[in-house]
Amino acid sequence: QVQLVESGGGLVQAGGSLILSCAASGRTLFAMAWFRQAPGKEREFVAAVSWSGSGVLYADSLKGRFTISRDNAKNTVYLQMTSLKPEDTAVYYCARGDRSSVYNNAYDSWGQGTQVTVSS
């Protein structure tokens, strides 16, 4: 059974940057993704990466500011976030699935989430 543990969240000023990490245990050659959920809102897709790292998907609104990557030797997926805005404030979750998708029902394992708060 895969366990996913996110880290790297915190409080940052608008315009700042953060790098989130998701460490996976168990078999990890699956697609991985980041989703986020702001208070009172539904969980939304952020980015996904194929098992090889060669295929990536991004939410259109986040292209150019967020970058997903993975290091299979370390069983870790990263989300580099730049030019952060207050509206990026949310709990960020990583997830594992058989293939990259923007839909959360494509993923069968989820981490516990890490809070990102962007102050104005």
Side-chain angles (χ1 to χ4, degrees):
Q1 183 176 358
V2 172
Q3 289 187 322
L4 306 174
V5 180
E6 303 96 335
S7 61
L11 174 64
V12 63
Q13 288 188 330
S17 300
L18 277 176
I19 299 177
L20 305 183
S21 300
C22 174
S25 64
R27 187 181 173 200
T28 56
L29 293 183
F30 289 92
M32 299 292 292
W34 288 95
F35 285 75
R36 68 184 184 183
Q37 188 166 19
K41 295 187 177 181
E42 293 194 356
R43 190 169 297 187
E44 66 172 347
F45 173 76
V46 173
V49 61
S50 64
W51 70 268
S52 67
S54 61
V56 293
L57 295 172
Y58 291 101
D60 287 342
S61 61
L62 301 176
K63 285 180 181 177
R65 294 197 299 122
F66 288 16
T67 303
I68 189 170
S69 61
R70 67 189 298 162
D71 184 338
N72 286 340
K74 297 181 179 179
N75 291 341
T76 301
V77 176
Y78 304 96
L79 183 69
Q80 182 176 4
M81 306 184 293
T82 63
S83 301
L84 284 162
K85 306 174 182 180
E87 52 263 43
D88 294 319
T89 295
V91 178
Y92 285 70
Y93 299 90
C94 71
R96 184 212 76 168
D98 288 334
R99 59 179 175 83
S100 295
S101 172
V102 303
Y103 300 107
N104 58 16
N105 60 10
Y107 300 91
D108 56 11
S109 295
W110 293 80
Q112 82 290 348
T114 186
Q115 176 71 47
V116 171
T117 302
V118 184
S119 63
S120 57

